[in-house]
Amino acid sequence: MVGLVLVSHSRPLADALLPFLRDMSGEAVRIEIAAGTGDPDAEYGTDATAIASAIEVADDGDGVVVLLDVGSAVLSADTALEFIDPDLRERTRLVDAPFVEGAISAGVTASGGGSLDQVVRDARAALDQKRQALPGDMPASPSETSATATDPGVWDATTTVEVVNDHGLHARPAARFVRLALEYTGASDGATVQVRDLTNGNGPVDATSQSTVTTLGAVRGHRLQIDATGDNASNIVERLASLVASGFEDEDEPPSVSTDGTSPIPSATGAVPGQRADSPYTDTQMERALRGIAVQPGAAVAPAYVHQPAMPEIPDETTDDPEATWDRLSTVLDHVQGQMDNQRSRLIDTGHTDAADILGAQQLLLADPALRDRVRSSVFEDRHAAPGAWMNGVEAVIEAYASADDAYLSQRADDVRDVAVRVLHVLVDVPQEPIRGPETPHILISRRFRPSDIPELDGENVQAVVCAEGNATSHSAILLRGRGIAAVFDAGPDLLTVNNGDDIAVDALQGLVWMDPEDDVRDAVETVRREHAEAGRRARAAAHDPATTASGTEISVGANVSGPDDAKEASENGADGVGLLRTEFLFRDRTDAPDEDEQVSLLDRICTAVSPGTVTVRTLDVGGDKPLRYLPLPEEANPALGLRGIRALLREPELLRRQLRAVLRVADRHPVRLMVPMVATLEEIQKTRTLLDEARDQIRQSGGNGDAPLPLGTMIETPAAALTAHVLAEELDFFSIGTNDLTQYTMAADREHGDLAALTDALQPAVLRLIRDTAAAAREASIPVSVCGEMAADRLAVPILLGLGIRSLSVLPNRVPSVKALVRSLNDTECADLADEVLGASSAADVRRRVRDILPKETA
């Protein structure tokens, strides 16, 4: 089938055209977009390399038609031809057709199996309908490229039929008519079909050309004559006439006005005029919405509370006693360190371990000798008073981080800024205000939130959280999902024009936000809220039932757990065991590592809570960005690529042996698996297994059972592990794919970087291919594979994961019921077909669009 490539200077323009084009041509046609430049395609322009890549993806051997908008798009596309294989170049056509009309005509003809020349012909003829409809000097007759009918002299079959649908052969009915005609001519050598309008005298025209069929101007009540040649001519004219006589069957006509002249009558799909069948909102309502990233599902209409943390004023003062000033500064830094220790302890006690991790990383900055040297210099050399000296020192560090090319380092500027403001508040004796909205239901608005803010939110009154910036895989997003608070991120700067008390409507299932919503939007969002609440109630009622697909395949849905309280919540929500037990909670906020017995006691509590489910224990995952006071690791410029996970533990073999002994002792009485994080090489697995064997020997020597069953697996979270999964599988008993880290390492994009949200989407095709390869390696080795990242709870990702062969998912405890409900709605074959299709997508956004087009509304 001929593929299409849309080349435009504007990515939004091409993206807006695509849904309509899909509606006209269906899903079978390969349609790729090469539009915009920059990251992520936000600037106007065209890129020859992107066009070349799009042509390669769009081709399936039948050729590619390239539609272009203006100016340099032609030059870029012409240059792109130099980058592709000569054979592909021969079957690629750059078409001088109108961008919108040409794409629609080309898509319809391609979807019907039209040849490359036919698709080019119809794209070029696409303006004929408009030429004939508009007065002026434009030629009224079809252009030289139009598909006018050729009279063969004798027709093998002829019939007439009356047009009965309200709007005649407009775009969609014409597309269905043409596809059916193309199906016939493509299957019969030398066959032809033509159609003429006997009422207005237009035609005859080639029935396989969408652009010329629409120029007939056939409306309701007109009579058409259909002629055909070929072996099955009688059959095709009968089928075409039946299609016309049926009103084009289930064609989605705009409904008529009701008898009282007011309310529209819904169509069979439940849509009203201007409303897409897969959306509860009309096009007009959608146009009024701010569009962001859906972080946590939910919907609400409530007054806004705008959180705008104020920066304290820095007094312009100097010091006459630098020694005393420096002593005061040092005392304040130690005081803030203690405050952060206490806050981390509260976060851990309440199960907010991710927020505690981030706070711990920020604490390192207070002890940073380079930072302290800068501040000290500002005191002793420049004689600045404490507040000014502190901010002079940290601003230099912030600037250095912010200007770094590396995404991780540039994001660290936010960490420094958070710590800087915290210290400054103490130095100027102005308390830092917590987020305290009204004690009535409200929607919380801010530019962005720190991870440490989330645990402090009032979960009862905060109906939703909306941020102008941020992305779905940031730590703040993860924490909001953990709390179950509806959230939309990256809604844009217009959000910050909202005032306290202004009404806001939020649909966090689709990432939509309305400021000062009108009554129709309020009603629509309220309907979504009720439906979502009811779906949640049904999911919770069935939470303890197996998650079995509509095809009968049982999918395990476990929980990601960070302590005994999480394990209890997982059990209450019907989790099939623990797919990821983060053991860091055992090791934090203490001056020395926990002994073996303490570890056994806490692990035993968790296993008991989810019994008889299996618990997958991840070994301690620490590093420069997840510090422990008693684990001596060097400070690193880029901790994400340094001593993390198993790399750090292999430097401390006795610490790892102690944990391995504890896990083995628990495995003697509970079903437990052991999982190793941040593996990149087979050697790391082999060294871990050696230490595990030594731990077994030590237990035997102490009189215990060193032979307890303990399957050994690894997290697949580095591209290296995914690419060598077939090798690792020979040494391991299972895989668990950590999609959060796998995505950021594959895409070279830090998930906390606000400007890289599109790149940190786990539905990036490159990430999907790594998941596919990992699942295939596990299947070949007959070992299980699961997914335990945020992707496992993404309702648009789950069907793809199942289609790629994943049979085990692990999610936040409160997401277990909804994921189980989603799984029960899915069909194995449809998931497999969907996975095959999206692997050829051009971007994560393209993947999400394709999934939404295929899945039913209640699923997508």
Side-chain angles (χ1 to χ4, degrees):
M1 188 174 289
V2 175
L4 305 183
V5 172
L6 307 180
V7 178
S8 173
H9 284 66
S10 166
R11 182 79 196 197
L13 171 62
D15 284 342
L17 172 59
L18 189 58
F20 183 44
L21 183 52
R22 281 286 177 206
D23 190 33
M24 297 291 291
S25 63
E27 292 296 326
V29 181
R30 294 189 181 187
I31 304 174
E32 298 298 322
I33 292 176
T37 60
D39 184 16
D41 299 332
E43 300 173 14
Y44 293 119
T46 53
D47 182 342
T49 57
I51 297 170
S53 297
I55 292 172
E56 290 170 347
V57 174
D59 179 58
D60 70 355
D62 290 334
V64 178
V65 169
V66 182
L67 285 301
L68 315 104
D69 57 6
V70 293
S72 62
V74 179
L75 297 176
S76 296
D78 195 49
T79 302
L81 295 181
E82 301 299 319
F83 299 156
I84 62 179
D85 181 82
D87 290 339
L88 176 55
R89 190 183 310 143
E90 286 297 316
R91 57 180 183 272
T92 300
R93 302 285 189 274
L94 309 185
V95 182
D96 55 343
F99 186 63
V100 176
E101 295 91 337
I104 293 168
S105 293
V108 171
T109 304
S111 69
S115 68
L116 183 59
D117 288 340
Q118 286 176 314
V119 175
V120 171
R121 175 202 68 189
D122 288 349
R124 284 175 171 159
L127 280 182
D128 284 348
Q129 182 185 20
K130 192 178 291 184
R131 287 192 181 102
Q132 292 188 8
L134 295 176
D137 297 331
M138 300 177 71
S141 59
S143 71
E144 62 184 25
T145 57
S146 296
T148 54
T150 301
D151 190 348
V154 178
W155 294 95
D156 295 322
T158 297
T159 193
T160 62
V161 62
E162 183 176 333
V163 179
V164 298
N165 59 310
D166 286 344
H167 297 282
L169 262 68
H170 68 81
R172 287 182 180 85
R176 296 192 61 194
F177 188 92
V178 168
R179 277 200 291 269
L180 184 55
L182 279 164
E183 179 185 315
Y184 170 68
T185 59
S188 304
D189 291 340
T192 58
V193 185
Q194 72 171 23
V195 59
R196 74 177 74 209
D197 187 326
L198 297 175
T199 304
N200 64 19
N202 288 339
V205 297
D206 186 343
T208 66
S209 169
Q210 194 264 352
S211 59
T212 56
V213 168
T214 56
T215 66
L216 287 174
V219 296
R220 185 172 185 173
H222 282 205
R223 195 155 195 85
L224 303 180
Q225 177 178 314
I226 304 168
D227 309 305
T229 64
D231 293 340
N232 292 305
S234 297
N235 178 265
I236 188 58
V237 297
E238 181 180 341
R239 292 176 65 193
L240 287 169
S242 295
L243 179 64
V244 175
S246 73
F248 296 88
E249 297 172 345
D250 57 350
E251 193 247 322
D252 190 12
E253 287 292 322
S256 304
V257 176
S258 63
T259 55
D260 65 1
T262 54
S263 302
I265 301 171
S267 69
T269 63
V272 296
Q275 176 174 332
R276 295 188 299 276
D278 64 344
S279 172
Y281 308 110
T282 66
D283 290 341
T284 302
Q285 291 169 339
M286 295 286 282
E287 289 169 3
R288 299 201 300 263
L290 301 178
R291 302 194 183 204
I293 299 170
V295 169
Q296 165 67 16
V301 180
Y305 174 74
V306 184
H307 175 60
Q308 294 178 315
M311 182 78 156
E313 185 176 345
I314 304 171
D316 184 15
E317 298 174 350
T318 58
T319 178
D320 295 328
D321 189 348
E323 285 288 353
T325 298
W326 177 245
D327 287 344
R328 177 171 179 255
L329 252 172
S330 299
T331 300
V332 167
L333 293 179
D334 291 341
H335 172 72
V336 173
Q337 183 82 260
Q339 285 182 329
M340 295 174 79
D341 275 338
N342 292 334
Q343 187 178 4
R344 284 190 73 224
S345 296
R346 290 197 306 273
L347 291 172
I348 291 167
D349 290 342
T350 54
H352 300 296
T353 52
D354 282 320
D357 284 339
I358 302 303
L359 201 62
Q362 292 180 346
Q363 283 183 279
L364 290 178
L365 295 167
L366 293 176
D368 184 341
L371 173 59
R372 291 205 174 204
D373 285 348
R374 285 191 177 93
V375 176
R376 194 175 193 281
S377 175
S378 186
V379 170
F380 283 91
E381 296 179 16
D382 302 328
R383 296 298 176 108
H384 285 132
W390 169 247
M391 292 308 296
N392 284 343
V394 295
E395 286 295 346
V397 177
I398 290 170
E399 184 178 350
Y401 277 131
S403 62
D405 292 333
D406 181 88
Y408 179 85
L409 292 179
S410 63
Q411 185 64 20
R412 293 265 291 179
D414 283 344
D415 288 332
V416 181
R417 195 173 287 111
D418 281 348
V419 174
V421 172
R422 188 187 288 262
V423 172
L424 182 60
H425 274 281
V426 177
L427 288 172
V428 299
D429 197 23
V430 175
Q432 195 166 6
E433 294 184 8
I435 301 174
R436 285 181 182 156
E439 294 183 0
T440 54
H442 61 275
I443 292 172
L444 186 58
I445 306 291
S446 186
R447 181 177 298 279
R448 65 189 304 148
F449 289 102
R450 299 172 303 177
S452 56
D453 291 330
I454 307 305
E456 308 299 328
L457 298 183
D458 177 358
E460 182 176 345
N461 288 312
V462 175
Q463 305 297 293
V465 168
V466 185
C467 294
E469 301 171 359
N471 65 64
T473 57
S474 67
H475 284 103
S476 295
I478 293 171
L479 293 171
L480 283 166
R481 281 193 283 271
R483 295 206 58 189
I485 298 175
V488 174
F489 281 9
D490 199 29
D494 288 350
L495 176 72
L496 301 179
T497 63
V498 170
N499 296 312
N500 283 338
D502 289 353
D503 281 347
I504 297 288
V506 177
D507 180 340
L509 287 86
Q510 299 191 49
L512 302 174
V513 180
W514 289 267
M515 300 186 294
D516 191 21
E518 297 181 5
D519 289 345
D520 61 330
V521 171
R522 290 171 178 269
D523 293 343
V525 173
E526 179 60 24
T527 298
V528 169
R529 186 197 64 76
R530 287 196 304 268
E531 291 176 350
H532 179 67
E534 175 59 21
R537 187 197 64 75
R538 291 195 304 268
R540 288 189 295 273
H544 293 272
D545 297 339
T548 304
T549 68
S551 306
T553 301
E554 187 165 341
I555 306 298
S556 172
V557 182
N560 300 334
V561 167
S562 297
D565 291 341
D566 282 354
K568 181 182 177 184
E569 183 184 1
S571 179
E572 292 170 349
N573 280 295
D576 301 322
V578 172
L580 168 62
L581 172 58
R582 302 181 179 97
T583 57
E584 292 75 48
F585 78 96
L586 289 162
F587 294 83
R588 293 193 195 95
D589 292 308
R590 48 193 308 150
T591 57
D592 55 4
D595 63 32
E596 190 176 320
D597 289 340
E598 183 181 354
Q599 293 186 53
V600 168
S601 175
L602 285 167
L603 292 176
D604 192 74
R605 284 176 57 193
I606 291 170
C607 291
T608 300
V610 298
S611 180
T614 298
V615 174
T616 302
V617 180
R618 186 179 70 185
T619 57
L620 178 62
D621 186 9
V622 294
D625 60 339
K626 299 178 180 181
L628 296 176
R629 297 177 193 171
Y630 50 85
L631 186 62
L633 292 174
E635 186 174 346
E636 298 171 300
N638 193 347
L641 298 179
L643 291 171
R644 277 191 60 191
I646 194 60
R647 301 172 186 175
L649 277 188
L650 289 175
R651 289 167 55 101
E652 301 289 331
E654 184 47 45
L655 182 66
L656 178 54
R657 283 193 201 94
R658 187 186 308 171
Q659 184 173 30
L660 295 177
R661 289 195 301 269
V663 175
L664 282 166
R665 287 171 57 187
V666 174
D668 192 31
R669 52 184 178 270
H670 295 287
V672 174
R673 303 191 304 178
L674 182 71
M675 183 163 64
V676 182
M678 277 299 292
V679 166
T681 68
L682 178 62
E683 183 183 16
E684 291 164 338
I685 293 297
Q686 292 168 335
K687 288 181 178 179
T688 301
R689 192 173 287 281
T690 297
L691 289 171
L692 181 59
D693 290 340
E694 292 174 3
R696 289 184 182 277
D697 288 339
Q698 291 171 342
I699 291 176
R700 292 187 191 102
Q701 290 168 10
S702 63
N705 178 17
D707 299 316
L710 184 63
L712 177 64
T714 185
M715 296 278 286
I716 302 293
E717 49 193 340
T718 67
L723 292 169
T724 59
H726 62 291
V727 176
L728 298 177
E730 296 177 1
E731 294 281 337
L732 292 166
D733 302 305
F734 67 93
F735 288 152
S736 183
I737 303 173
T739 53
N740 296 352
D741 277 335
L742 181 62
T743 300
Q744 71 172 348
Y745 289 133
T746 300
M747 304 306 297
D750 178 27
R751 65 185 180 186
E752 295 296 319
H753 198 294
D755 294 334
L756 301 179
L759 289 179
T760 57
D761 189 331
L763 287 181
Q764 286 287 349
V767 178
L768 294 180
R769 292 189 182 106
L770 291 179
I771 295 172
R772 174 199 62 189
D773 294 347
T774 301
R779 233 177 0 256
E780 185 178 338
S782 298
I783 64 173
V785 56
S786 64
V787 170
C788 65
E790 291 296 307
M791 185 184 191
D794 185 335
R795 66 189 189 281
L796 296 185
V798 170
I800 299 173
L801 293 175
L802 269 56
L804 293 174
I806 302 299
R807 294 294 177 263
S808 179
L809 305 170
S810 189
V811 300
L812 290 169
N814 67 346
R815 301 297 291 275
V816 170
S818 61
V819 172
K820 281 190 167 186
L822 171 59
V823 167
R824 296 184 191 110
S825 72
L826 301 175
N827 174 280
D828 292 0
T829 301
E830 292 174 357
C831 288
D833 291 345
L834 173 62
D836 286 342
E837 178 185 339
V838 299
L839 288 172
S842 60
S843 65
D846 188 21
V847 171
R848 292 185 179 278
R849 179 194 58 74
R850 296 188 191 203
V851 180
R852 287 191 183 99
D853 286 348
I854 291 171
L855 292 180
K857 175 185 172 184
E858 62 269 19
T859 303

